[in-house]
Amino acid sequence: MTTQPATAPLRDDEPPVNLWRDAWARLSRNRLAVLSLAIIGLLAFVAVFGPWLTPFDFLSQNLDARNLSPNWVHLFGTDELGRDVFSRVVYGTRTAFVVAIVVTGIAATLGVILGALAGYLGGPFDRFVMWFTDTTMSVPQLLLVVVINASLKPPLVNFMEAQYEATKNGFFRNAIIIDFVLVFGSMALILWPPYARLIRAQVLSIRSRPYVTAARALGLTTPIIIARYIIPNAIGPLIVAISAGLGNAMVLESAFSFLGVGVNPPIPSWGNMISDGLQVWRNHAHLLAAPAIVLGVATIAFSFLGDGLNDALNPRGRK
Amino acid sequence: MSERLLDVRDLKIEIDTRRGRAVVVDGIDLHVDKGETLGVVGESGCGKSLTMLSLVGLLPNRIHTTGGSAHFAGTDLLRMQPAELRAVRGGRIGFVFQDPMTSLNPVMRIGDQLMESLRQHKRLDKAAARQRAGELLKLVGIPGAEQRLESFPHELSGGMRQRVMIAIGLACDPDLLIADEPTTALDVTIQAQIVELVKGLKQRLGMSVVWITHDLALIAGLADRIAVLYAGTVVEDAPAELLFRDPAHPYTRGLLASIPRLHGEDGARLSSIGGTPPEPGRRPQGCPFAPRCPLAEAMCHDIVPALAPLRGVATPHRVACHVANRVREAA
Amino acid sequence: MLLFILKRLGIWVPTVILVVLGVYALAFYGAGDPIKLIFMRAPGDVAYDPVRIEAIREQAGLNQPFLQQFANYLFNALRGNFGNSLVSGRSVWSMVAAAAPVSFQLGLLAITLTAIVAVPLGMIAGMNQNSRLDYAILGAALLVWAIPAYVAGPLLMVFLITVLPGAAVPYGWGGIFDARIILPLVVLSFQPIALIIRQTRAAVIEVLSEDFVRTARSKGLPESVVALRHILRPVLTPIVTQLGLIMISIVNGAIFVELVFGLPGLGRLTVSALTGSDYPIILAITVIGSFLVMASNLLVDVLYPILDPRAADTRSGR
């Protein structure tokens, strides 16, 4: 059994250790997390540049080439309108990423602000925020989105109509915009509570830690304490939550599109592609398989990445 | 002639680190005779707890015994099968741990925790175990023993919890009780009570005790013999009286000198030993204490001193120091 | 103990009412007037007469202030009257009552399956941390969690039909002892099982590093006893608190599972109500769903002191 000599002298060339370097080192050792990061990077690249690089436009129909199985021209085959499935999946990647990033961004911002304020101010505001998050989290997400969607659609449509009347700007007639706003709005409204609770818990616990008391005893002012002590300690769990949140948002978006309350055709979303594919999978399995597999891979990747980040940033959990 | 109950020879323990294996305990020799109380003294990180845990196979993950032997009543504990070792653990060797707050299961009643080992080792039925548990609580001086069996740990004070821990350690009439810093987490007054309790128990039950501590003053009134550990080796091993009267190893002398005295000159500074102990994996060649030792010579940095009787005379007082042994010869 | 339950109820009931209020307000201010909606849907080019509408509204009590309408809704709801479907005209209650047993039975079975499967697997994974077994279990849990129900369902159906050609096509409801329930049950349980495996594993890892486990081992107890008696009990506490989350997962998942496997439950009812914009049904089901989740949270609150004596009231448990 080879061992290092037990009398190795101290090495001065070792770099100083800090949380980020340590976390990155731990993360890069986790091969699964690195693989997931690579996959997500690839998907992100596809989301940004893909639609310009695909041979076919996702809208263009070719009625002579309907329901083709995967071949060299159409890598994933075609659907019942002759559209290239590969291009649609690629565009669906963009949909997924756009929705996930925007929604998570809104939800996280909202959640962090509310949570931080609640934790810091305490009192009745805190109680209200807590009650609000509790009740929001008590309503099953899908049902809540259904209700929000059903409730907000008519007023939104009316609002848009009124704006169109006022400005005669075609922008307001765009059904796609309405879809996206509804999706963003309802998802953000559901997804913010976990961030709020996380940040609030962090603020509360860090506030009472001895080193914050020590900082106060040294005469440091509140903004400095927040910047130097609270934020750096709260960022770790926040990063983990955001990573998991992105994956969650993607799954949610596809679920809603599947149900018809999310992104509707002709804009491709993995969800609505799966929904269409479900009608005909027995004869044309590729229509279901393509978006389903890509969705699955993306979700798993985000999940593993989240786990890896958690291990990297919270080392206490390991033996 | 008292017989040797526990005989540890050349015990080595290593820990897995990212950079390979690091030696934590480097050849420890210890022994306990029947009815004797051995005090194991050393600062944090010197390997005293690990040594004891290794005897009964309770080392945490990534820490392994890599050499030596530990004979307990004839058999080598380090080479026992797990099932055999389990029978010894709790049955013939009892443990008392440091922090009674975290060492007791918070969701189990005290009585159940006591009865567990009784039913495991002594095969008592529920009623008999219950009765014995009550007796044990009385033995360790807990008032209202019968009712206390139903209590949860968080309902007891720190001192009482530690008494319960002692009761658990004693439950199956072990030959040897190993107490790992049992009073470190307690108030000073409670500390004294626990020490008295153990003294009394020792006399009544005639068992051997190993008491691990970093507090020399505490162990003075309790131990028959004291072993001083430093950086994973025994540096001095002597009957208590001899140790305090005539400390030979520079480390021991440093420790004794650093105990604050009630009476002294005004403005006198507390003496302390400069420097810090070596990290595992960064042990110096030669004597581990040499970098901090005021008496160190060239030889000390190269050759590890062996634990040998002081002055080469037949005496139970053993020291691991080149200088101490030589200096005494000259004197 | 009774006092404790009553205290909890005292907080819980207003919360339920407030949640229902919130949902109701959304539907009310958002979707707007039910009567207008009916008219808007009417086939053909019905020019609706404002006077007639007002009359009907007054008759239906829709002129009253919001809170009063809400109070009416609440009272009616407590008596089982959720109004009538906008699409079919049938009472919402009858439609819900027909669909509910299916979903409830499925849900209960799913919870049971989760408890039986996930807890032992999670414990095994936790106690063998970083071993291949651990990775296998974790990997399987993550995989299962990542595949949405509406994807896993059809894929498994295909698999089943191709592998066992004689098996009954898992479509339709035949009661809990019918073989067709197996596949939807499994798919519905995917999410909760994955969640609980991970929670159990994390809890076990945490407990394993506790000192009292070392004490238990120092007593010479066999590892199996240490696992069952000293590790399982403290681990159960955080798991049971997840009951609310499991409930949410099941209510959400039921929608997809019932859709894919053709089960006539509340989930499928929700989807058809959604496509038909049938607000009374949507509202009623949301209220029921939220009620279920909050009921399980209440149950957890009540059970918690029993599981963890440290959290019990000052009147300590005897």
Side-chain angles (χ1 to χ4, degrees):
Chain A
M1 179 173 45
T2 51
T3 65
Q4 279 267 343
T7 55
L10 230 123
R11 290 171 13 212
D12 282 319
D13 56 339
E14 288 172 22
V17 175
N18 69 17
L19 174 65
W20 300 110
R21 208 166 293 156
D22 194 37
W24 178 248
R26 229 193 297 270
L27 188 65
S28 34
R29 253 192 303 250
N30 183 343
R31 282 176 298 187
L32 217 48
V34 171
L35 181 65
S36 307
L37 196 56
I39 291 180
I40 293 175
L42 177 65
L43 286 174
F45 178 81
V46 167
V48 173
F49 298 108
W52 287 308
L53 298 177
T54 53
F56 295 93
D57 175 42
F58 69 87
L59 275 177
S60 61
Q61 306 175 5
N62 183 352
L63 294 173
D64 294 325
R66 286 196 269 189
N67 288 327
L68 296 176
S69 289
N71 53 47
W72 288 114
V73 176
H74 299 276
L75 276 172
F76 285 177
T78 60
D79 67 3
E80 75 275 7
L81 291 177
R83 298 178 290 199
D84 178 31
V85 175
F86 180 71
S87 308
R88 303 201 84 224
V89 169
V90 163
Y91 200 88
T93 312
R94 175 181 279 193
T95 310
F97 268 86
V98 165
V99 173
I101 292 178
V102 171
V103 166
T104 306
I106 298 178
T109 310
L110 200 60
V112 166
I113 294 179
L114 278 177
L117 281 175
Y120 209 74
L121 296 175
F125 182 71
D126 180 27
R127 276 199 292 271
F128 169 70
V129 170
M130 275 298 98
W131 170 82
F132 201 11
T133 58
D134 277 343
T135 46
T136 309
M137 284 167 76
S138 292
V139 183
Q141 291 162 326
L142 240 43
L143 291 177
L144 189 54
V145 154
V146 164
V147 171
I148 292 179
N149 202 292
S151 315
L152 292 183
K153 191 157 190 169
L156 188 62
V157 168
N158 289 339
F159 173 75
M160 296 294 251
E161 277 298 311
Q163 292 298 311
Y164 180 72
E165 295 299 320
T167 67
K168 301 290 182 204
N169 186 339
F171 174 78
F172 295 103
R173 267 270 161 94
N174 197 336
I176 297 176
I177 300 290
I178 294 185
D179 267 350
F180 267 92
V181 169
L182 271 179
V183 166
F184 291 160
S186 37
M187 282 178 71
L189 281 174
I190 301 174
L191 291 177
W192 69 266
Y195 296 106
R197 301 190 79 170
L198 179 70
I199 294 298
R200 174 184 175 271
Q202 290 288 312
V203 168
L204 282 180
S205 93
I206 293 173
R207 232 174 42 162
S208 57
R209 294 245 175 98
Y211 55 79
V212 171
T213 316
R216 281 223 194 92
L218 283 175
L220 295 181
T221 59
T222 307
I224 291 188
I225 291 183
I226 295 183
R228 271 204 222 144
Y229 292 94
I230 298 190
I231 291 187
N233 280 302
I235 282 196
L238 187 61
I239 290 183
V240 177
I242 288 184
S243 157
L246 282 173
N248 207 17
M250 253 183 222
V251 171
L252 226 52
E253 181 272 317
S254 70
F256 294 154
S257 303
F258 175 83
L259 285 179
V261 286
V263 174
N264 289 317
I267 302 280
S269 148
W270 294 332
N272 62 34
M273 289 177 74
I274 293 177
S275 168
D276 292 339
L278 264 181
Q279 316 282 349
V280 295
W281 61 266
R282 285 202 212 191
N283 300 319
H284 310 288
H286 65 281
L287 292 176
L288 175 64
I293 292 177
V294 178
L295 174 63
V297 167
T299 315
I300 295 178
F302 270 107
S303 186
F304 280 129
L305 181 65
D307 266 357
L309 282 173
N310 196 21
D311 271 347
L313 290 165
N314 299 330
R316 271 176 298 128
R318 322 182 93 236
K319 262 199 204 153
Chain B
M1 192 61 196
S2 27
E3 57 174 90
R4 196 139 283 196
L5 185 60
L6 176 69
D7 198 359
V8 178
R9 300 269 172 111
D10 202 31
L11 181 64
K12 288 198 178 59
I13 301 179
E14 289 180 7
I15 177 172
D16 289 336
T17 69
R18 215 153 283 150
R19 301 200 205 98
R21 281 227 171 149
V23 174
V24 195
V25 168
D26 196 13
I28 280 193
D29 288 344
L30 282 178
H31 61 93
V32 185
D33 294 331
K34 243 189 172 182
E36 188 183 37
T37 302
L38 172 71
V40 177
V41 174
E43 49 191 306
S44 308
C46 70
K48 44 194 202 297
S49 299
L50 287 179
T51 306
M52 292 303 140
L53 288 176
S54 73
L55 297 180
V56 288
L58 280 181
L59 286 175
N61 267 32
R62 303 210 175 148
I63 305 184
H64 316 276
T65 321
T66 52
S69 68
H71 282 86
F72 177 73
T75 350
D76 187 359
L77 292 170
L78 300 179
R79 284 168 186 68
M80 267 190 190
Q81 294 301 316
E84 271 186 275
L85 198 55
R86 247 197 297 116
V88 169
R89 203 161 66 212
R92 303 194 61 193
I93 298 184
F95 257 91
V96 178
F97 291 108
Q98 174 174 338
D99 190 349
M101 215 163 35
T102 57
S103 296
L104 288 172
N105 191 327
V107 301
M108 258 175 97
R109 299 184 200 269
I110 303 284
D112 291 326
Q113 300 197 44
L114 268 173
M115 299 198 304
E116 260 192 321
S117 37
L118 287 171
R119 303 189 69 187
Q120 170 73 21
H121 292 285
K122 300 235 168 202
R123 307 251 172 257
L124 294 179
D125 66 23
K126 235 184 167 182
R130 221 185 149 65
Q131 173 154 18
R132 176 88 181 114
E135 287 168 18
L136 281 167
L137 287 186
K138 275 205 206 88
L139 185 65
V140 294
I142 292 187
E146 294 299 322
Q147 286 93 303
R148 282 300 176 191
L149 287 176
E150 302 298 318
S151 306
F152 287 101
H154 65 271
E155 293 168 353
L156 298 170
S157 73
M160 288 218 276
R161 278 197 284 254
Q162 194 58 302
R163 290 175 191 261
V164 171
M165 283 295 299
I166 294 177
I168 291 179
L170 293 176
C172 302
D173 302 315
D175 301 312
L176 174 66
L177 184 71
I178 300 183
D180 189 354
E181 303 210 45
T183 56
T184 305
L186 301 171
D187 296 337
V188 178
T189 43
I190 312 285
Q191 272 187 20
Q193 288 177 12
I194 300 289
V195 169
E196 284 308 308
L197 173 65
V198 174
K199 266 164 120 171
L201 288 172
K202 204 185 62 162
Q203 279 184 336
R204 276 169 74 173
L205 305 175
M207 67 186 169
S208 317
V209 174
V210 173
W211 186 295
I212 302 173
T213 179
H214 59 261
D215 188 343
L216 261 181
L218 182 82
I219 203 67
L222 187 52
D224 299 317
R225 218 160 30 84
I226 298 183
V228 180
L229 258 62
Y230 182 79
T233 53
V234 178
V235 295
E236 191 158 0
D237 177 353
E241 268 202 41
L242 283 183
L243 188 85
F244 286 105
R245 202 176 352 122
D246 188 20
H249 196 281
Y251 179 60
T252 319
R253 299 174 73 175
L255 279 183
L256 285 170
S258 62
I259 298 178
R261 308 239 180 284
L262 266 183
H263 313 286
E265 307 165 7
D266 274 345
R269 307 195 109 200
L270 290 176
S271 93
S272 67
I273 311 175
T276 50
E279 287 174 42
R282 302 235 168 110
R283 300 168 61 82
Q285 225 176 344
C287 174
F289 189 60
R292 303 167 72 184
C293 181
L295 303 176
E297 302 179 354
M299 174 170 51
C300 299
H301 294 285
D302 293 325
I303 307 176
V304 179
L307 194 64
L310 189 55
R311 292 171 235 163
V313 176
T315 166
H317 190 157
R318 302 192 295 166
V319 188
C321 176
H322 302 297
V323 177
N325 264 325
R326 198 185 342 120
V327 164
R328 294 313 167 100
E329 274 167 23
Chain C
M1 190 58 180
L2 193 59
L3 198 61
F4 176 71
I5 296 183
L6 282 177
K7 269 203 294 190
R8 277 272 174 261
L9 268 177
I11 307 177
W12 184 77
V13 169
T15 310
V16 174
I17 296 182
L18 281 170
V19 170
V20 177
L21 178 67
V23 175
Y24 184 83
L26 260 180
F28 186 89
Y29 284 114
D33 219 320
I35 301 297
K36 233 198 253 178
L37 287 169
I38 295 180
F39 271 93
M40 269 168 35
R41 270 163 209 281
D45 207 5
V46 177
Y48 52 89
D49 180 1
V51 174
R52 243 186 98 203
I53 293 193
E54 272 313 302
I56 299 182
R57 291 183 77 212
E58 183 141 355
Q59 192 195 31
L62 292 172
N63 268 346
Q64 297 162 340
F66 168 75
L67 277 177
Q68 186 149 14
Q69 292 202 39
F70 175 67
N72 286 340
Y73 182 79
L74 211 56
F75 273 127
N76 284 329
L78 283 172
R79 274 179 291 151
N81 180 359
F82 284 94
N84 294 332
S85 158
L86 285 182
V87 170
S88 69
R90 291 166 54 197
S91 99
V92 170
W93 179 248
S94 67
M95 296 176 78
V96 165
V102 175
S103 300
F104 282 176
Q105 288 171 334
L106 194 62
L108 234 61
L109 280 178
I111 294 181
T112 315
L113 186 66
T114 304
I116 297 177
V117 169
V119 173
L121 279 180
M123 277 197 74
I124 294 175
M127 293 184 70
N128 295 301
Q129 192 188 11
N130 293 331
S131 70
R132 275 196 286 197
L133 187 58
D134 179 25
Y135 287 145
I137 294 180
L138 255 190
L142 277 173
L143 201 72
V144 148
W145 178 81
I147 303 182
Y150 52 94
V151 172
L155 290 178
L156 282 176
M157 271 211 284
V158 177
F159 184 69
L160 192 68
I161 292 180
T162 41
V163 166
L164 301 167
V169 175
Y171 196 86
W173 176 252
I176 57 176
F177 295 112
D178 185 310
R180 286 180 292 177
I181 204 182
I182 297 179
L183 207 52
L185 181 62
V186 165
V187 172
L188 183 61
S189 309
F190 273 172
Q191 291 266 0
I193 286 181
L195 179 72
I196 295 298
I197 285 184
R198 298 184 64 179
Q199 294 283 4
T200 309
R201 177 182 177 276
V204 165
I205 290 176
E206 174 115 10
V207 166
L208 275 179
S209 62
E210 294 273 2
D211 285 340
F212 59 80
V213 172
R214 182 178 59 171
T215 308
R217 289 202 176 117
S218 78
K219 292 187 209 169
L221 299 172
E223 196 64 14
S224 55
V225 171
V226 174
L228 282 174
R229 221 185 283 155
H230 288 269
I231 298 181
L232 184 60
R233 286 233 25 223
V235 156
L236 278 182
T237 314
I239 292 178
V240 166
T241 56
Q242 300 291 319
L243 191 62
L245 273 180
I246 298 181
M247 197 51 87
I248 292 182
S249 166
I250 289 185
V251 171
N252 281 337
I255 295 182
F256 297 106
V257 168
E258 290 176 14
L259 202 58
V260 167
F261 290 97
L263 304 172
L266 289 175
R268 202 164 73 159
L269 190 57
T270 311
V271 177
S272 58
L274 177 64
T275 31
S277 291
D278 205 342
Y279 297 106
I281 298 187
I282 296 179
L283 195 55
I285 295 185
T286 306
V287 166
I288 294 177
S290 318
F291 182 80
L292 273 177
V293 172
M294 287 189 282
S296 40
N297 281 336
L298 180 68
L299 187 63
V300 168
D301 270 348
V302 167
L303 280 181
Y304 198 77
I306 300 179
L307 286 173
D308 187 350
R310 285 174 292 186
D313 255 352
T314 44
R315 292 159 207 134
S316 47
R318 262 229 164 231

